[in-house]
Amino acid sequence: MARRSRRGVPALLGGLLLALTAGPLQAAAAPAGVPAAEGSGMVMVLDASGSMAGKDGSGGTRIDAARKAVGTVVDAMPDGYPTGLRVYGADKPKGCDDTRLAQPVAALDRAGLKKAVAGVRPKGDTPIGLSLRKAAADLPRPAAGSIGTRTILLISDGEDTCRTPQPCKVAAQLAASGVDLHIDTVGFQVAGRARTQLECIAKAGNGQYYDAPDAKALARQLQRAGQLSADGYRFQGKQVRGTATRGGAPGLVPGQYLDSLGPNEERYYATDLDAASAADFSATVVPPSGAAVGLLDSLHTRIAYGSGGVCDSTTGLFAQREGAAPLTSGVSRIPTQSGTGSCDKAGRYWLVVERKAARGSDATRWPLELTFHVEHPLKKGVTPAQSAPEYGAGGKDARLPATAPEDVTGGTGFNDARTLHPGVWRDKVLPAQTLWYKVPVGWGQQLRYDVEFANEPRIKGSRAAASYGATQVYTPFRTPVGNGTGEFSPHVPYTGRSASLSMGTVPVAWTNRYEAHPNVRPVHLNGDFYIAVTLGARASQVAENPQIGVVLRVAVLGKEKDGPQTGASVAEASRRESGSSADVGQDSGGGWSTGRVVAVAVGGVGVLLLAGLALAYVRPRRRPAAADRAADPRRGGSW
């Protein structure tokens, strides 16, 4: 959830929750092989202590249930994903050093892993702390400059029986050792102190705790944890290290970069801009799926200049407490039409990225992906089309495709987002997972889509009443534009019953850059618009199936124009170039001449109502009022 600020103006928080219905979906096949990010991998740490020889309540033993569950996990993992197995308590009746690597972490060997776990015979003690420390050494190390996803997946039916090392302390030390390591835990028929300890390990290890009261739940939760590890965000970019102040800040040129960001930390990056080009920046933090966050934990970006000026400022909010998901904030430096604004001068500017975290939120460093693009001014003589600040045909009542759905597998992030074209698409999403897609949108067109979460059987006796589903849409420069409009809501409760969301953009118009509303201004360039679909972490306590069905109904509305200027559609331009005598249409009302376009202050106008997350929305105006035209030319301020 994002909100853009303006001096003295509260920003937008996001919409009202909405519940609709959608039909059930069939189960999807296991994921196909996708190359893992360098340095990624997972090692399962399996409890083989004496208690695992006990009955599981369904006629078998706990170790039998664990063997079957591990088999389910490896069958569902992508081909080739580096996976290994460590066991403890399997070799000695007594001993706090009883831990060994039963299958090295290497390209997925399903038969080898199943054979290794089939040979495990429960015998001894429960040295969890030592096993975690050893497991971290089992995992591959990412090469310099790369960020992978390294997961320790602990499966246990009891607490540590050895005094040293303390498991929670070990987990905290390991999680602090790098931005790419986390520890998930699965408690198999645990309660009391054992459950408390496993929850502590997961929290300290920057991971999630999964409760498995029976054999079926064990298989389900292991599959979820394993697939989340394998489907981690694929990063791209050049390594860079921001500074705590302007002094010594690394210089950026247009491109993509990687850094990391700690809680309540601020990072500076410098760049030199000319007087006429627009500059677009985005910052994306990628926490471990489901890591602890607060309602108002946020990612704040701003463009600074001079001794204390701010050109643009935006804040992205998690706006929920179930657990972290990727969060993006985008800002732009857009010169005014007159060229006399404070941010119109050539010179040194700084991108500033800040992460705000409440007490109790995840305390580890998170990977940070930055993008920087430069937009050169239009050629002389080109008159841009009028801005398009209204949703019009792309509003909430838009007619969307109703054809039979096609299967698709969403990407892990911006860099491998799956391309979609208008139509109906079907996918599967895990609790705490975000799926990514991209849709080409041309000049004069707008993206409009619905997301439908499937009706799924609920877990009997679950204490969780509901989770949530969410979606966001991003411009080609990764600026989120779907929140706080009053037209769409980015969240919907998910209780296991079908639920749906609507989302979209205004039409793409070059002159939108001079509009005031934060969901209009960034929609000023054609290209791939990104769709993110998230299911809340608590859905793992709600839905019985490991994955939840999701359907996307995607439409791209309007005729594509052949450029930012007022003029023909692409089809009409093609006919004209081929000698066709067809008429060439103009935009309704004609284009704005360059002399009449006036820049206005950026920032949404809204009211933040914390009690109900309700929203008071002011519709963007097609033309700025005189008072707005006289606003601070810096068009921004700290939130």
Side-chain angles (χ1 to χ4, degrees), residues 344-368:
D344 294 343
K345 300 175 183 178
R348 177 59 55 97
Y349 292 78
W350 288 267
L351 169 66
V352 189
V353 183
E354 183 181 13
R355 173 184 159 196
K356 288 288 190 180
R359 180 179 297 179
S361 295
D362 182 68
T364 61
R365 301 187 68 81
W366 292 348
L368 172 68

Side-chain angles (χ1 to χ4, degrees), residues 11-55:
L12 301 175
L13 175 60
L16 303 174
L17 300 180
L18 175 67
L20 302 173
T21 60
L25 300 175
Q26 300 300 316
V34 177
E38 185 176 359
S40 294
M42 179 180 75
V43 58
M44 291 178 281
V45 179
L46 178 62
D47 185 348
S49 62
S51 60
M52 287 290 285
K55 299 296 183 181

